[in-house]
Amino acid sequence: VSTLLNTIRELKYSGIECDLLILDAGYYSLENLRDFYFSGIDFLTRLPAKTELYREMIDIKDLENKENAVIYGELLLFIKTEVRKVDDHDLFMYVVLDPERRGREIKRYLKKHLKEADEFSLKRKGFMVLISSYKIDKEDLIPLYYTRQMIEKAFSYCKTDLSLLPLRVHREATLRGYFFVVFLALDI
């Protein structure tokens, strides 16, 4: 969480401007949100289930109705948008429910934890809460958020198939040479 702004500063120093960050829940913190607003960087991130705000949002009423229904590929999702104030800034909250996933997750959870199941763990199945600094159309929300997965797959490919990470280099010239050799090997 704390390295994110340093990474953004390093990118800016290298001439790369960040105008939108798509982040996993692990990067969520109120301090990061404040810094994004202060820096003028838009963001889209998943809210961790451990936060009080997440607990409030999954208690939302009237989620499963046709006005909130969105088709994404083969999925039918319900997405409801609310706006909350955080440090005098509008924070767009998107409660996303996948009813099919909810059914699968509840079944799997109860098969393992029927006797010691807790209410919150059961209630949150199939839900995801996304937050953003700007309004996103419901139809664009999930495709935009899932671009994060494409990037993660690219990193995974580099780490596993190409053995690129960890790099353990101390100079940029060494890094460039390493990438060149890996690129040639891949091309061949």
Side-chain angles (χ1 to χ4, degrees):
V1 173
S2 61
T3 62
L4 189 57
L5 279 180
N6 290 334
T7 303
I8 293 168
R9 284 187 199 105
E10 186 71 26
L11 287 169
K12 191 172 189 170
Y13 178 76
S14 299
I16 301 170
E17 290 292 327
C18 293
D19 56 358
L20 173 64
L21 299 172
I22 303 173
L23 307 164
D24 195 8
Y27 291 100
Y28 171 82
S29 76
L30 196 53
E31 185 178 333
N32 275 348
L33 297 187
R34 287 179 182 132
D35 289 337
F36 299 154
Y37 279 119
F38 179 76
S39 303
I41 300 172
D42 284 324
F43 60 87
L44 172 62
T45 187
R46 188 167 51 85
L47 194 61
K50 66 183 179 191
T51 63
E52 188 61 36
L53 191 52
Y54 178 93
R55 291 174 182 261
E56 289 174 26
M57 295 308 295
I58 65 168
D59 279 336
I60 200 162
K61 305 294 184 237
D62 300 322
L63 178 61
E64 294 182 71
N65 62 48
K66 68 179 183 176
E67 288 79 27
N68 297 326
V70 176
I71 303 289
Y72 176 65
E74 295 295 314
L75 297 175
L76 169 67
L77 304 175
F78 294 98
I79 302 174
K80 189 164 184 178
T81 307
E82 284 197 4
V83 180
R84 299 274 178 109
K85 284 282 188 196
V86 175
D87 292 344
D88 296 324
H89 298 284
D90 286 339
L91 186 63
F92 294 87
M93 315 281 296
Y94 303 93
V95 180
V96 181
L97 171 62
D98 180 342
E100 289 181 33
R101 181 176 178 177
R102 179 171 171 74
R104 289 191 310 270
E105 288 180 358
I106 287 174
K107 180 181 177 182
R108 193 174 328 125
Y109 178 75
L110 288 178
K111 277 186 167 182
K112 288 184 180 178
H113 307 285
L114 185 59
K115 294 193 189 298
E116 69 275 355
D118 71 277
E119 194 64 36
F120 177 69
S121 294
L122 195 58
K123 183 193 293 189
R124 64 179 237 152
K125 300 299 182 199
F127 279 96
M128 171 171 66
V129 179
L130 299 175
I131 59 175
S132 176
S133 58
Y134 68 102
K135 184 164 178 40
I136 303 169
D137 290 335
K138 288 185 218 181
E139 291 76 17
D140 298 330
L141 180 69
I142 299 302
L144 178 61
Y145 183 67
Y146 283 162
T147 59
R148 190 191 97 266
Q149 285 183 321
M150 289 186 284
I151 295 164
E152 286 177 358
K153 284 181 183 177
F155 273 107
S156 175
Y157 178 72
C158 289
K159 286 168 37 177
T160 55
D161 297 349
L162 299 178
S163 302
L164 284 180
L165 300 174
L167 295 174
R168 293 186 176 86
V169 297
H170 300 284
R171 295 184 343 210
E172 187 175 337
T174 307
L175 176 66
R176 288 180 182 275
Y178 180 70
F179 280 146
F180 180 68
V181 169
V182 169
F183 174 75
L184 286 178
L186 181 63
D187 196 41
I188 292 170

